[in-house]
């Protein structure tokens, strides 16, 4: 029974992680298009790469050179919607991690 709960909490954790990474990718694409950065999808991949978020840091440092040229209200609404989804995903990550540790400790 304990292994089943551990598997459920691991699944919840992974769903949260995958969703956060995807939302960062999509937000980065929208931001890169608004700043007229070449290859916005490549910038999205760059932002999601790395173990310690070094890809996101590189993107944030690189985007300083490019001011926002044009961004519509729809794109701003999309970014805000994706931020809310990321927040919920972080809650999933926390619940999954706490549940997994609890299962390990009660073992």
């Amino acid at each position: 029974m304990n292994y089943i709960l551990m598997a459920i909490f691991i699944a919840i954790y992974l769903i949260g992680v995958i969703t956060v990474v995807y939302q960062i990718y999509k937000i980065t694409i929208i931001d890169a298009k608004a700043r007229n950065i070449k290859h916005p999808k490549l910038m999205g991949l760059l932002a999601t790469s790395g173990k310690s978020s070094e890809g996101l840091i590189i993107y944030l440092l690189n985007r300083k050179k490019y001011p926002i040229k044009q961004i519509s209200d729809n794109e701003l609404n999309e970014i805000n919607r994706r931020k809310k989804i990321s927040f919920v995903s972080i809650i999933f990550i926390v619940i999954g991690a706490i549940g997994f540790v609890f299962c390990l400790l009660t073992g």
Side-chain angles (χ1 to χ4, degrees):
M1 181 67 173
N2 202 15
Y3 292 116
I4 295 171
L5 279 175
M6 286 174 60
I8 290 171
F9 285 122
I10 289 171
I12 291 171
Y13 179 84
L14 289 176
I15 288 170
V17 169
I18 291 168
T19 307
V20 167
V21 169
Y22 180 72
Q23 298 309 323
I24 290 172
Y25 170 74
K26 295 302 276 186
I27 290 171
T28 305
I29 289 175
I30 294 169
D31 184 67
K33 285 180 182 177
R35 295 172 185 274
N36 288 332
I37 297 175
K38 293 180 182 178
H39 311 293
K41 290 185 180 179
L42 180 63
M43 291 294 126
L45 283 175
L46 175 68
T48 59
S49 65
K51 292 181 185 177
S52 304
S53 302
E54 57 265 3
L56 183 60
I57 293 169
I58 291 170
Y59 173 74
L60 292 173
L61 291 174
N62 184 37
R63 81 179 195 153
K64 285 183 179 180
K65 301 173 193 172
Y66 301 94
I68 293 179
K69 303 274 188 206
Q70 57 190 12
I71 190 162
S72 68
D73 288 336
N74 289 339
E75 290 172 331
L76 285 174
N77 290 336
E78 182 72 16
I79 288 173
N80 288 330
R81 187 179 71 83
R82 292 190 180 279
K83 286 180 187 178
K84 290 176 186 175
I85 293 171
S86 295
F87 180 71
V88 171
S89 300
I90 290 170
I91 292 172
F92 270 57
I93 292 170
V94 170
I95 290 170
I98 290 172
F100 181 75
V101 169
F102 181 73
C103 288
L104 284 177
L105 293 177
T106 59

